[in-house]
């Protein structure tokens, strides 16, 4: 508790707030009056920024944009359609909870479950293995979405299935890599990003050094921060300092958890079973080498290859602007459906479904 209190200390927050305002004034002058746009690329940051009211204490010249950091939000709706198609073939579908409420073309996985199909919510990917062992006569598919943070635990399904000789389990993969997405965002002329507040969980796996290419290519700060209010304020302070000095680098402020080189165990697991692949992102479209596929020798654990399924782009619900929200081009409240047609109890798009979605954060915290 004492540890947490240290990152929620109001006096320290007041000092940081004054520093941020002073630095922002300096940077604003240097940039000839242009506002500074900082993008956070982590759903947990998005929620923390909303929960602690960070936006309300920043100067008007600093704006926080929420980027493609929520794994559910960036997953193309065609993926939901594919999962439903597999359920309708009589397979057991295992998934993390958020996914069951994301609308596909015809239904959600929750709707599919109500219709009698076998959709199971898991807290750990390895539960899919237990279910496969309990039902050797049936096929079990785990919905493997997400960034480097969740890839390790999901891919351990393959590792353990090989060791335990379980063959009736597979993964419907839609894994994403953060760094190619950051390059894609920087390459979009319609989005102005002056700094990244880098994702903390992903950085634990890939390491701080992974962002050096972003700094070298675009000459902007990349600051890794934790999730407590002072973590985030220190992160913003660090970004402003780099802009004030016009000296840009990767600044790992979450070094109590993140190392320079990341987690070697998970990296080795990924190298063993996966290979980079093109991936389709909601909002960002197809990005070269921005995902991971199972290597050919493990194709029997890839649900698409095992069941001869092709993932196709899904349909965006009428009026839903999740794609623009994910890119930081539109604030959630600017979507005409926000808070009226689209609410957490009746979500139209994934950004309202997910506990890490920008629209859910804006609805909950204002
Ligand atoms: S408010 Fe709803 S419909 Fe609009 S962008 Fe957000 S999730 Fe999509």
């Amino acid at each position: 508790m004492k540890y947490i209190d240290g990152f929620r200390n109001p006096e320290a927050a007041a000092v940081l707030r004054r520093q941020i305002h002073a630095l922002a004034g300096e940077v604003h002058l240097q940039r000839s009056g242009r506002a500074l746009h900082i993008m956070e690329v982590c759903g947990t940051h998005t929620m923390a920024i909303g929960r602690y009211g960070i936006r309300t204490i920043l100067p008007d010249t600093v704006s926080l944009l929420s980027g493609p950091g929520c794994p559910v939000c960036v997953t193309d709706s065609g993926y939901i359609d594919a999962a439903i198609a597999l359920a309708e073939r009589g397979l057991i579908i295992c998934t993390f909870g958020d996914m069951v409420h994301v609308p596909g073309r015809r239904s959600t996985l929750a709707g599919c479950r109500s219709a009698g199909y076998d959709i199971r919510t898991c807290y750990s990917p390895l539960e899919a293995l237990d279910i496969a062992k309990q039902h050797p006569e049936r096929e079990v598919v785990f919905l493997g979405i997400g960034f480097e943070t969740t890839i390790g635990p999901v891919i351990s399904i393959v590792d353990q299935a090989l060791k335990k000789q379980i063959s009736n389990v597979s993964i419907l993969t839609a894994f994403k890599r953060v760094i190619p997405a950051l390059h894609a965002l920087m390459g979009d002329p319609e989005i102005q990003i002056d700094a990244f507040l880098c994702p903390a969980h992903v950085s634990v796996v890939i390491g701080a050094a992974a962002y050096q290419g972003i700094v070298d290519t675009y000459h902007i700060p990349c600051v890794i921060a934790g999730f407590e209010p002072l973590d985030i304020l220190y992160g913003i302070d660090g970004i402003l300092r780099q802009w004030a000095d016009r000296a840009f680098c990767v600044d790992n402020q979450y070094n109590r958890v993140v190392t320079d080189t990341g987690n070697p165990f998970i990296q080795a697991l990924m190298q063993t079973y996966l290979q980079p692949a093109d991936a389709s992102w909601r909002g960002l479209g197809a990005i070269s080498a921005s995902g991971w596929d199972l290597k050919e020798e493990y194709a029997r654990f890839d649900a698409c290859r095992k069941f001869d399924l092709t993932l196709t782009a899904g349909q965006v619900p009428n009026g839903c602007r999740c794609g623009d929200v994910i890119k930081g081009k539109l604030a959630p409240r600017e979507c005409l459906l926000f808070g009226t047609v689209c609410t957490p109890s009746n979500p139209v798009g994934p950004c309202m479904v997910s506990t890490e979605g920008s629209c859910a954060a804006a609805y909950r915290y204002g």
Side-chain angles (χ1 to χ4, degrees):
M1 192 61 194
K2 212 169 177 185
Y3 175 76
I4 292 293
D5 284 350
F7 290 97
R8 295 182 184 176
N9 181 303
E11 287 83 25
V15 171
L16 268 170
R17 180 177 181 269
R18 282 197 293 277
Q19 275 177 203
I20 286 171
H21 277 252
L23 280 166
E26 205 180 306
V27 170
H28 195 56
L29 280 177
Q30 274 186 18
R31 289 168 50 88
S32 313
R34 278 183 300 129
L36 195 83
H37 296 88
I38 301 172
M39 177 174 274
E40 90 269 2
V41 195
C42 171
T44 314
H45 274 148
T46 299
M47 287 315 256
I49 286 165
R51 183 182 306 127
Y52 300 122
I54 302 286
R55 280 191 180 85
T56 64
I57 63 167
L58 293 180
D60 292 343
T61 55
V62 176
S63 79
L64 298 182
L65 311 174
S66 299
C70 157
V72 173
C73 306
V74 298
T75 303
D76 195 286
S77 63
Y79 180 88
I80 301 292
D81 298 333
I84 289 174
L86 289 175
E88 288 173 344
R89 290 194 209 173
L91 278 60
I92 300 175
I93 304 297
C94 296
T95 175
F96 292 131
D98 277 357
M99 285 296 280
V100 298
H101 298 295
V102 180
R105 190 165 44 89
R106 287 185 287 126
S107 178
T108 60
L109 286 163
C112 193
R113 179 158 57 197
S114 303
Y117 295 104
D118 201 342
I119 313 291
R120 305 195 189 189
T121 305
C122 298
Y123 291 100
S124 158
L126 292 180
E127 286 176 45
L129 271 184
D130 295 334
I131 293 168
K133 261 197 290 187
Q134 289 157 12
H135 300 279
E137 76 291 356
R138 297 185 64 191
E139 286 289 340
V140 177
V141 176
F142 187 85
L143 303 188
I145 64 157
F147 297 96
E148 286 88 342
T149 326
T150 46
I151 292 174
V154 174
I155 212 66
S156 62
I157 290 175
V158 178
D159 193 60
Q160 291 299 308
L162 285 167
K163 286 176 182 150
K164 295 177 179 170
Q165 299 186 320
I166 298 172
S167 59
N168 61 326
V169 67
S170 58
I171 304 170
L172 186 62
T173 60
F175 297 136
K176 301 287 192 292
R177 303 172 69 203
V178 162
I179 300 294
L182 302 189
H183 282 289
L185 287 164
M186 291 305 297
D188 186 334
E190 292 181 17
I191 311 169
Q192 190 200 328
I193 300 167
D194 303 306
F196 283 115
L197 192 68
C198 298
H201 295 137
V202 165
S203 303
V204 170
V205 176
I206 66 175
Y211 301 99
Q212 192 58 50
I214 300 290
V215 174
D216 293 344
T217 309
Y218 308 107
H219 310 292
I220 59 167
C222 282
V223 175
I224 302 164
F227 301 113
E228 292 297 330
L230 291 193
D231 278 324
I232 295 168
L233 290 176
Y234 273 120
I236 295 167
D237 179 74
I239 285 169
L240 287 165
R241 274 178 202 284
Q242 289 193 32
W243 266 105
D245 296 341
R246 293 268 169 170
F248 304 120
C249 65
V250 179
D251 179 8
N252 179 12
Q253 297 199 0
Y254 200 37
N255 57 10
R256 62 188 190 275
V257 178
V258 175
T259 64
D260 208 37
T261 52
N263 183 316
F265 175 76
I266 295 182
Q267 288 172 12
L269 200 62
M270 289 167 65
Q271 291 301 326
T272 301
Y273 295 110
L274 300 174
Q275 59 193 12
D278 298 347
S280 177
W281 297 59
R282 190 188 293 259
L284 301 176
I287 305 175
S288 171
S290 67
W292 296 100
D293 267 353
L294 282 159
K295 288 181 178 172
E296 196 52 42
E297 57 264 47
Y298 305 110
R300 62 191 184 281
F301 294 105
D302 179 340
C304 276
R305 282 177 272 184
K306 190 171 186 178
F307 302 108
D308 198 20
L309 192 75
T310 306
L311 289 179
T312 52
Q315 269 179 355
V316 177
N318 281 345
C320 175
R321 304 285 303 277
C322 280
D324 288 333
V325 169
I326 287 164
K327 288 190 280 191
K329 284 169 79 172
L330 189 86
R333 285 174 185 280
E334 291 173 315
C335 171
L336 295 178
L337 307 188
F338 181 91
T340 52
V341 177
C342 181
T343 62
S345 53
N346 184 31
V348 175
C351 296
M352 190 64 91
V353 173
S354 171
T355 50
E356 296 195 337
S358 304
C359 298
Y363 188 90
R364 191 162 177 189
Y365 300 114

